[in-house]
Amino acid sequence: MTSRTLVLGGARSGKSAHAEGLLTDDVVTYVATARRYPDDADWELRIAQHVARRPATWHTVEAPAPHDLTALLTATAATDPPILVDDLATWLAGALDDAGAWEGHGVGEVERECTALVNAVAQTKTRLVLVSAEVGLGVVPSTRSGRLFRDHLGSLNARLAEVCDEVLLVVAGIPLRLREAGGSR
């Protein structure tokens, strides 16, 4: 069985639903990386829709701080339930926020967080499915913050793809295999 799968896709591509469908176990640890903004009703509705779609037997862990996710993955045992992380774009946005990188500070801290995450994924002992936005197919963002986010997420996705056994790209709800389990890296 594949131990690590990276599921990439654009906004509203169906990547999260596809990733959820990869796990047929009764018990799954669902790691939600999005930060909650109680004043943003639309964001809370999106989170509620994701929650409603998951089986009741799945356990949700909110890990909005970058080190929360890294620590959780590092502490896994082979007998732990599978883990689904959704999604790494919101995780990275939180890392950029925490480091003050939007204002031009802390880029080195973000790089350290990304390296720690890649290392934790490589060492995770239980079945792992990661969801991330694919950002390399669009135009060059016109803002510094847009380019910063795109560049860091593109780099993070590439580094994670190197340590994952299987990589999928979901386009218009259709999964495309970029690397099959057991395939060359």
Side-chain angles (χ1 to χ4, degrees):
M1 179 168 75
T2 302
S3 60
R4 292 178 217 53
T5 301
L6 175 61
V7 179
L8 302 166
R12 310 308 272 175
S13 64
K15 64 188 177 292
S16 293
H18 183 76
E20 291 165 7
L22 293 174
L23 297 172
T24 57
D25 303 67
D26 288 336
V27 178
V28 171
T29 299
Y30 182 99
V31 182
T33 62
R35 294 180 179 191
R36 292 189 174 264
Y37 302 101
D39 294 341
D40 186 340
D42 178 63
W43 188 244
E44 290 297 316
L45 177 61
R46 286 174 182 258
I47 290 172
Q49 289 170 339
H50 271 253
V51 170
R53 187 172 67 209
R54 294 193 295 269
T57 57
W58 286 21
H59 174 65
T60 300
V61 174
E62 293 193 15
H67 60 275
D68 293 343
L69 176 57
T70 302
L72 184 140
L73 295 178
T74 302
T76 61
T79 56
D80 287 345
I83 297 173
L84 188 150
V85 177
D86 194 3
D87 111 347
L88 295 174
T90 55
W91 176 88
L92 178 63
L96 291 163
D97 282 346
D98 292 351
W102 304 117
E103 294 80 32
H105 312 289
V107 172
E109 181 181 336
V110 173
E111 282 303 315
R112 285 187 293 280
E113 292 287 359
C114 289
T115 296
L117 176 62
V118 172
N119 290 338
V121 167
Q123 296 171 22
T124 299
K125 294 176 180 66
T126 191
R127 173 80 168 103
L128 176 64
V129 177
L130 304 166
V131 178
S132 189
E134 175 51 55
V135 293
L137 301 174
V139 298
V140 175
S142 61
T143 64
R144 180 192 170 285
S145 59
R147 290 186 300 273
L148 176 76
F149 179 77
R150 188 244 3 231
D151 292 350
H152 279 281
L153 188 58
S155 174
L156 178 61
N157 286 345
R159 291 169 67 192
L160 288 167
E162 282 296 314
V163 299
C164 285
D165 305 301
E166 180 179 43
V167 181
L168 305 170
L169 174 65
V170 179
V171 179
I174 301 169
L176 306 168
R177 289 197 185 285
L178 303 180
R179 176 184 305 128
E180 291 197 41
S184 63
R185 292 189 183 171

